[in-house]
Amino acid sequence: MSTDASVPLAKNEDSPRGFAFALTAYLLWGFLPIYMKAVAHISPAEVIAHRIVWSLPLAGIVLIVLGRTQDIRAALSSPRMLAMAALTASLITVNWGTYVWAIGAGHSLDAALGYFINPLFSIFLGAVFLKEKLQPLQIAAIALAALAVAILALDSGGIPWVALTLAVSWGFYALLRKTLPLGPNQGFFLEVLILSGPALLYILHLEFGGQGHLYRTGLADTALLLGCGVITAVPLMIYANGAKLLKLSTIGIMQYIAPTMIFLIAVFVFHEPFGTARMIAFPLIWAGLFLYSWSMLKGSRER
């Protein structure tokens, strides 16, 4: 899943085409838990490996159509760029792996919480690493998120590691992607290209060892694993093109669509328990997001 609002904007205005692209991407990400639940009987590592391998040809086709393959050739000849891409690829692997495990293990609410926390954590990272000045409303929003995490930690006797892992891994991924001088489509292709070698070896190891699910366990599993490339690459590509046609503030508001859908699916489709601590923590997060959104919209109007 991606909510990186750092994609360069062609113009500082919204367009219906950009809104349609972004909405489509967020809706696809919102329904993703249903797909991940369908592959819950397969280990998260195997699912992630297939997400990587089958995303590569789709991402490559997009670059060929756009005529941007030269960017990849330049990146492959730059050790610094390859090192940066390897780091972002590692972070996205952690994010994907945690998400896939969380859905399959019945922790979809924790996944939703992580993506609700993410924009607030990104504000924090911006203040720490980019020296961005925090507004009072943003400080209050971060404090509410921290209070929500503390409540969940006290209730469970430990930190809500799924939510925090998703928020932290994606927050640092988005931060580091700002420093990778590649467009979103090129950056995604380079990341999955770096990961595809180990992923393919792992798939072959499972298949030849009689533990894989690509051919051994029926057409349904084969179709689901092959489809992992589509459900990974297509929303990212759609989003990348939509974000260029929208204002940053619009993207900031729309990024709540996917975690809201994950939350609703977790409660009403997967019937995950929604105890007292979560009844307190989630409204605190939502209040923080309201303050964050208000601050962002206020700043946008002033500019």
Side-chain angles (χ1 to χ4, degrees):
M1 179 177 169
S2 169
T3 56
D4 179 11
S6 64
V7 181
L9 304 179
K11 295 180 180 180
N12 188 30
E13 60 184 32
D14 293 330
S15 76
R17 185 163 168 260
F19 183 83
F21 276 142
L23 180 61
T24 299
Y26 282 120
L27 289 175
L28 290 172
W29 280 322
F31 283 114
L32 187 58
I34 295 176
Y35 196 100
M36 291 295 104
K37 187 67 82 171
V39 296
H41 61 288
I42 302 173
S43 74
E46 185 175 359
V47 173
I48 296 305
H50 283 280
R51 289 188 74 172
I52 292 166
V53 167
W54 305 120
S55 292
L56 186 62
L58 291 175
I61 290 171
V62 169
L63 291 187
I64 292 171
V65 171
L66 296 176
R68 303 308 297 266
T69 55
Q70 187 62 39
D71 296 341
I72 300 301
R73 295 192 189 97
L76 291 174
S77 63
S78 169
R80 179 176 176 273
M81 197 174 298
L82 284 174
M84 292 164 59
L87 182 55
T88 58
S90 299
L91 286 168
I92 199 62
T93 302
V94 171
N95 186 273
W96 286 351
T98 304
Y99 180 82
V100 172
W101 178 88
I103 301 300
H107 292 279
S108 301
L109 278 173
D110 291 330
L113 179 66
Y115 289 118
F116 277 129
I117 292 174
N118 178 67
L120 303 179
F121 182 70
S122 292
I123 296 174
F124 172 76
L125 289 179
V128 173
F129 292 99
L130 304 179
K131 307 304 179 184
E132 296 176 354
K133 185 178 179 182
L134 291 178
Q135 302 300 319
L137 288 178
Q138 294 175 327
I139 295 173
I142 293 172
L144 287 173
L147 179 58
V149 170
I151 289 171
L152 291 171
L154 288 172
D155 178 69
S156 64
I159 63 172
W161 70 269
V162 170
L164 290 180
T165 300
L166 290 173
V168 170
S169 60
W170 190 263
F172 276 105
Y173 172 79
L175 178 69
L176 292 172
R177 275 296 271 117
K178 285 176 175 288
T179 66
L180 187 64
L182 278 176
N185 293 328
Q186 299 94 311
F188 175 68
F189 177 84
L190 184 58
E191 287 164 352
V192 293
L193 179 64
I194 290 170
L195 295 169
S196 61
L200 181 59
L201 288 175
Y202 182 68
I203 291 172
L204 292 174
H205 166 73
L206 291 177
E207 293 300 324
F208 285 112
Q211 299 173 312
H213 292 77
L214 185 59
Y215 299 113
R216 296 175 51 258
T217 54
L219 289 177
D221 283 351
T222 299
L224 286 169
L225 290 174
L226 292 176
C228 283
V230 176
I231 58 98
T232 299
V234 170
L236 279 169
M237 300 295 183
I238 293 174
Y239 170 81
N241 288 280
K244 292 185 294 186
L245 304 173
L246 293 174
K247 291 189 290 188
L248 194 63
S249 57
T250 303
I251 298 168
I253 298 300
M254 292 184 73
Q255 67 182 318
Y256 306 143
I257 294 173
T260 299
M261 291 177 64
I262 296 170
F263 172 83
L264 294 174
I265 289 172
V267 174
F268 296 107
V269 179
F270 298 159
H271 304 293
E272 293 187 11
F274 194 63
T276 303
R278 284 174 171 169
M279 288 182 184
I280 299 172
F282 270 91
L284 286 173
I285 294 293
W286 294 331
L289 291 173
F290 174 79
L291 293 178
Y292 157 74
S293 302
W294 179 259
S295 173
M296 181 175 55
L297 291 172
K298 182 181 176 182
S300 178
R301 285 197 300 268
E302 290 174 352
R303 287 192 296 272

